[in-house]
Amino acid sequence: MARIRLKKLFRPRSPLTLLLEELSSTFESPFQLLDHEGKHLLGEPDLAFEKEFPLELDGEHVGLLRGDGRSGALFSALHHWITEENSKKKMADEVLNAYREITLLYHLSEKLSTSLKIHKVVAVALEEVGRLIRGTCGAAVLFDASRVAVAKSSFGWEGNEESYETLSEQVLGIVESSEKAEVVNLLQEDHRFEATALPVQSLVWAPLKSKHRIFGVLWMGHSDAGHEYSAADLNLLNTIASQVSPAIENAEFYENMEQLVQARTNELSQAKEAAEMANLAKSQFLANMSHELRTPLNGLLGYAQILQRDKDVTSKQQEGLAVIQKSGEHLLTLINDILDLSKIEAGKEELHEGEFSLPEVLHNLEELFRLRAEKKSIDFVYRKESALPQWVHGDARKLRQVLINLLGNAIKFTDSGEVCLSVKAVDNTILFKVSDTGVGIPGQHLEEIFQAFRQLNHENQTTEGTGLGLAISSRLVRMMGGHIEVESELGRGSTFSFSVQLPAVSGGGTARIPSNQSIVGYKGETLTALIVEDKAPNRAVLVDLLEPLGFKVLEAHNGKEGVESALHHKPALILMDLVMPVMSGLEAIKALRASPQGDDFVIVALSASVFENDQEKSLEAGSNAFLPKPIRADELLECLRQHLDLDWLYEKREGPSSTESGEHPWAVPPQEQLVDLYHYAKQGNIGEIRRQIKSIAASDERFKAFVKPLQLMAKSFQMKAICAYLDDYV
């Protein structure tokens, strides 16, 4: 095909047309201009001319000029113009083709950079090659070390797949041996190809390779006999292959990494499932063990509380019962601590806030750790640096757990001197400080001590415990909104301090019954209580708690019996264990609430289970309240007072300060008088103590019951006992 067309150059009124006509007029030489097909373009169409001048360009016939002898000048000018225009066109075409190739290669690079799957890379590569290089068929093939195709994209194979597959195999074999790009325009004459049934006449290919190996080939073919691929086509295909090769390597790397990540994810998922199953098994084991331990503790602590209320028990026996109760409660605390560790590890630890007596918590801790300190012949000092609120809102058990850990460590690592617990209230913030004169902690280990299972080995010290106490304490204090700080000097001792928000509340929680009073009954008609519990010892504890107070008590051994008995006897109170054979407590509660008289029952759920949702489940089933085992007598009695609207009767006291009708009820003297009395007791000033007690008793009849135990203690010079008695009130 002609590179240029004369018809386009010599169109009417074009610059070249006007110039040629002007030359013809100047030389007085008529002419005819015909195109390469012999069609008239310009000049005299009807004249006969004696001379013809063929117009050729690079050996190709582009037209014919006819004229007389003077037309040679016209021919020279015309040939010059055509050659010049052709050069311009060739240059423009080359620039246009170069721009087109660069644009397509840029788009190819963009597509390849976003293709992270090998099959997608191969398909994109072949698609873009088809845009740049003409062909009736083509393929992009990747193969492994065994020449097995791992990815392939092709076009133009329809209806003759077997022949094209054979051709592709032959190209692969040549590429593997030559490792270079080639053009073959006469395929039948190339001895490397089998001549039978070749589906194309010309081929161009380029290897896909890395630094170390050839891993594929990109080829285009044409079935027309007259079509030939040029060196430019080869260079272009080689350029495309050089872009495709790293894209394929990246995609292979991505897919390998994806497989590794997936495999690792599967491993982690399996490990997570195994860990969760192990955690679940551990939690279930701990829960079961806790349930089994709490059940006998319910009987132990229950009867300790019942016997302490017996007025026939001697003071010596009372001391023994107090030891039994405190030891049982300490064992209960250890059980709860183990469960807390399990919850912390599982990330399920939560605050359970309520109203509690802060002085009572601190007083109990003082008694516990004073005994431990005495066993090691060291002093234990409890120092209140300000007046403390009687009732506060917070999580009493977690606060107690933190203080037990800190005080336990202080006593364990102190062989001489003292351990001191200091407490100070600033608005709603309570500051706690535990200091000792023990072995101290090296400065470089101050951060490590809060890590789980971290224990410091001190010279001449036997390592005890699990190394979890400080880690758990730190976590619990953070949950309560505080932070534990530590100061220590090796050989001089340590000080641990923290502060938490414990807002003061009025009245709060379970009212503390004075030590010289106990509940003996309630006002009004006799009420019936039904105890539904499968364990005989647990039923016996509740029976012995309620019968002396005037309740008529019925018993049932499982939920089914409990429902039948409740519907028949219609008790005012039902104490329902949750875990029982035949019918569980939850099922029994639902059955009772579904009955016609279901709204009339007051049901208190009881459980030794430790699962967090047990209380929620029991309340959702219809219980009025939930009490955990071991049952605390004061909590049970307060629960009954609230839900049965009881007015308790207390035991009679001798003297005018208390009468059966309650003419002079028991009351606590003013705070400033008690602070003065406490101060004199600390000084050991027995004279001032007696005068202050006498002054308080004379100021109000209601105070006489309060000061009576103080009078007895002062008579026998029991200064520590006086301080301990007043600790709850100052």
Side-chain angles (χ1 to χ4, degrees), residues 677 680-681 683-693 710-711 713-719 722:
L677 185 58
Y680 294 140
Q683 291 179 335
N685 191 335
I686 192 63
E688 287 298 331
I689 290 173
R690 289 173 176 169
R691 277 190 289 274
Q692 187 71 11
I693 290 174
L710 293 173
Q711 290 171 334
M713 295 174 195
K715 198 171 185 179
S716 55
F717 301 94
Q718 298 180 40
M719 301 301 163
I722 293 173

Side-chain angles (χ1 to χ4, degrees), residues 404-640:
I404 285 175
N405 282 332
L406 296 180
L407 290 168
N409 283 343
I411 288 179
K412 179 168 66 174
F413 294 108
T414 301
D415 292 327
S416 62
E418 68 175 27
V419 170
C420 179
L421 169 62
S422 302
V423 186
K424 181 179 181 181
V426 180
D427 296 327
N428 287 329
T429 301
I430 309 297
L431 302 130
F432 299 90
K433 186 182 294 184
V434 175
S435 57
D436 64 65
T437 56
V439 295
I441 305 168
Q444 66 271 25
H445 295 310
L446 287 178
E447 292 298 326
E448 299 175 16
I449 60 175
F450 294 105
Q451 298 174 8
F453 304 106
R454 179 64 178 170
Q455 290 180 304
L456 299 181
N457 295 321
H458 296 279
E459 187 178 357
N460 299 324
Q461 287 280 347
T462 302
T463 302
E464 298 176 356
T466 60
L468 288 167
L470 287 177
I472 293 175
S473 297
S474 177
R475 171 72 176 267
L476 295 180
V477 170
R478 285 200 302 271
M479 288 178 63
M480 291 187 285
H483 176 71
I484 295 182
E485 296 181 352
V486 57
E487 297 177 1
S488 185
E489 185 177 347
L490 196 61
R492 300 288 298 273
S494 307
T495 298
F496 289 82
S497 59
F498 68 93
S499 61
V500 292
Q501 292 286 316
L502 296 173
V505 294
S506 59
T510 304
R512 183 175 183 270
I513 301 170
S515 58
N516 62 332
Q517 285 190 332
S518 63
I519 294 173
V520 295
Y522 54 88
K523 295 179 181 180
E525 61 183 11
T526 300
L527 301 177
T528 300
L530 172 62
I531 300 170
V532 187
E533 164 71 67
D534 61 319
K535 298 287 193 302
N538 290 341
R539 291 198 306 273
V541 169
L542 293 172
V543 169
D544 288 339
L545 271 172
L546 297 179
E547 280 189 340
L549 301 180
F551 285 92
K552 177 183 177 182
V553 181
L554 304 175
E555 299 182 44
H557 300 77
N558 56 60
K560 185 173 181 297
E561 290 183 11
V563 172
E564 294 172 351
S565 179
L567 295 178
H568 178 70
H569 295 285
K570 299 179 179 55
L573 170 68
I574 301 174
L575 299 177
M576 181 77 71
D577 184 34
L578 295 184
V579 181
M580 292 181 292
V582 184
M583 178 185 284
S584 71
L586 291 176
E587 293 172 326
I589 294 171
K590 292 176 182 178
L592 288 172
R593 290 305 185 201
S595 67
Q597 60 267 51
D599 293 338
D600 299 333
F601 298 119
V602 172
I603 305 174
V604 178
L606 312 174
S607 179
S609 177
V610 293
F611 291 112
E612 296 293 341
N613 58 355
D614 279 338
Q615 181 172 355
E616 295 177 5
K617 286 181 179 179
S618 69
L619 296 174
E620 289 173 2
S623 67
N624 298 87
F626 175 91
L627 291 177
K629 295 179 182 177
I631 302 298
R632 295 181 182 273
D634 54 353
E635 291 179 357
L636 174 62
L637 296 177
E638 175 61 16
C639 180
L640 300 188

Side-chain angles (χ1 to χ4, degrees), residues 170 187-190 193-198:
Q170 292 175 0
L187 212 61
Q188 294 83 351
E189 298 179 6
D190 195 315
F193 293 91
E194 298 177 5
T196 57
L198 287 172

